[in-house]
Amino acid sequence: MMTYMGNYLGYEETNGPFSGIVNVRLIPEQPFVSRDEVNAILDYYVRDSRSQKELLVKHEPRAAMHQFKPYHQTPKITHDSFMSLVQFDDEMQLFYLGFGSQRKLELYNTKGEELLTVNCNSEPIHVEVIPGGFRLSEIGHFDFDNATGSVHEYAHVEEGISITPLVTNYNRLVESHGGDFDNDENEDLLLIGFGQGEYGRVSIYWGKADDDDSRRVSTLIDYSGALHAELYDFDEDDDDDIFILTAQRRQELLLFENNGDRRFLSHRIVSQFAGFGFNSFALADFDGDGQKDLLLVNGNNMEIHNPPLRPYHGLRILLHRGGARFSQAAFFPLYGAIRAIPHDFDFDGDVDIAAIAFYPDWDALPPETFVYLENQGELNFRPHALDNAPWGRWLTMNRGDVDADGDQDILLGAAHIQLGIAPSVKDRYAALIENAPSFLVLENLAR
């Protein structure tokens, strides 16, 4: 690690495990410190660091899961090694499934009948259901930024489907969200561009009136790393404020407070060290005070070829303490955590959590890639293992009432790819994914 950091102190080392993640443009022409000082820093970390064995977290025993079971009345899809999105529209009773390897989006009804196939230029990454159709975001390229992210709007018309391009050539685009941020009754579009290295951006494309040919753009973030956004009227002034999580360049959660005149006041809610590994977040009222709290997920572990387990990976609940202040009230360790959904799945009046991990402990049998946390009150969670369903390396997750019985089921999409797989577990991983499903629905039995 110090060899990697040495690049930014002026000692170039871009080969081996650091190829592809060092920005050579940021390596100074002259060293900032001497070679002896670099070695002294390295010696300090090697001498004083605790052993990996000491740092490992002892997991609380997982209970058997009885509330969820595999739901078999789902679309019989072709296997794909990389499901880039899974979503269910409760109102229209439609599945939206993104096939990353095949670069296509497919729509199915609850009878399993395929209704529409959209061939994409890159991996379909995000769907927003809108009246009369949907808005589809394509990332451009999942592995690197080639500035070809796009957003297209698909509308159902008598002749079939009309397609309207809204955005093209955007930095590695991970989400788009429609909303009227300036209250002018024209829909605006928030774009979350993760990018890569120095380049990335979060922008608002302002909606225009019918007699206005111009399109104005505001930039909220002009650097790489934006992962996810949530819209919420945080200051209760009848317009949407914007929470944005960033990683890569900065590990932060930011709140952009909407002033209503196309200006935003930025608040830094959370800031973490460079290797923290933020992946996602969600909003939910965990303490029942009527204010949304934060559920933060960190677990990125792909920077080096043989990544160590990190005891600080997992889920954190931060309760709202007034103003723009939040404080941590609970932590659940989960190696390689990537997504979490807060919801009262069991109808007992408090918020439970479904979570997935993409970089688990590969020595565990089986590696833990899904956990259901049943809230037993006072932020005490009982973890349940997914021991009654097929194993998968889940990359994406969503919820929806798939069986129309009044409770929320869970949709899981897998990515059985080599990313983050150390050579020492390659054979074990190959055996795990040999018969693993690409897509799985867990039926909630609460009703």
Side-chain angles (χ1 to χ4, degrees), residues 298-425:
N298 72 305
N300 188 26
N301 211 9
M302 60 166 284
E303 286 84 359
I304 55 180
H305 295 310
N306 193 14
L309 297 173
R310 303 177 193 266
Y312 51 84
H313 279 179
L315 318 177
R316 287 169 174 81
I317 296 174
L318 279 64
L319 297 180
H320 183 216
R321 302 300 190 186
R325 295 180 295 110
F326 293 79
S327 64
Q328 182 171 315
F331 170 62
F332 183 84
L334 181 63
Y335 293 130
I338 191 168
R339 296 282 185 275
I341 296 177
H343 183 72
D344 184 7
F345 287 100
D346 56 7
F347 293 97
D348 66 352
D350 50 31
V351 180
D352 312 299
I353 302 172
I356 55 175
F358 196 66
Y359 303 98
D361 178 1
W362 292 109
D363 289 331
L365 296 173
E368 186 171 53
T369 55
F370 177 92
V371 63
Y372 172 61
L373 302 177
E374 178 191 358
N375 192 341
Q376 298 186 307
E378 303 298 324
L379 298 183
N380 293 309
F381 293 89
R382 186 186 187 195
H384 296 258
L386 189 59
D387 54 0
N388 60 354
W391 182 91
R393 191 185 183 194
W394 311 116
L395 176 69
T396 184
M397 175 175 59
N398 223 314
R399 65 178 174 92
D401 189 4
V402 173
D403 53 3
D405 66 349
D407 57 26
Q408 290 289 289
D409 309 301
I410 296 173
L411 293 78
L412 298 170
H416 297 135
I417 55 181
Q418 295 300 315
L419 187 66
I421 301 300
S424 60
V425 299

Side-chain angles (χ1 to χ4, degrees), residues 178-181 231-234 237-242 256-258 264:
D180 184 5
F181 297 104
L231 310 183
Y232 169 53
D233 185 8
F234 177 79
D237 64 351
D238 296 323
D239 54 27
D240 278 333
D241 307 298
I242 306 170
F256 290 88
E257 186 179 353
N258 189 351
F264 293 82

Side-chain angles (χ1 to χ4, degrees), residues 75 94 107-116:
L94 291 177
L107 274 67
Y108 292 84
N109 62 21
T110 53
K111 296 179 181 179
E113 299 167 335
E114 183 180 337
L115 304 179
L116 177 69

Side-chain angles (χ1 to χ4, degrees), residues 68-74 386 388-390 440-443:
F68 294 90
K69 71 174 184 178
Y71 185 66
H72 298 293
Q73 299 178 44
T74 54
L386 189 59
N388 60 354
L440 180 67
V441 173
L442 299 178
E443 179 187 3

Side-chain angles (χ1 to χ4, degrees), residues 41-96:
I41 296 172
L42 177 60
D43 289 342
Y44 166 77
Y45 279 105
V46 171
R47 182 183 67 245
D48 292 351
S49 293
R50 296 165 62 189
S51 69
Q52 174 74 8
K53 186 176 181 179
E54 288 182 82
L55 293 173
L56 294 181
V57 177
K58 186 177 181 179
H59 284 296
E60 181 181 345
R62 283 27 174 165
M65 186 179 301
H66 302 294
Q67 186 177 327
F68 294 90
K69 71 174 184 178
Y71 185 66
H72 298 293
Q73 299 178 44
T74 54
K76 300 300 186 288
I77 65 172
T78 57
H79 181 78
D80 195 288
S81 61
F82 172 29
M83 297 297 293
S84 53
L85 74 88
V86 292
Q87 188 164 322
F88 186 78
D89 178 10
D90 282 4
E91 182 177 351
M92 300 300 295
Q93 291 284 287
L94 291 177
F95 290 95
Y96 293 82

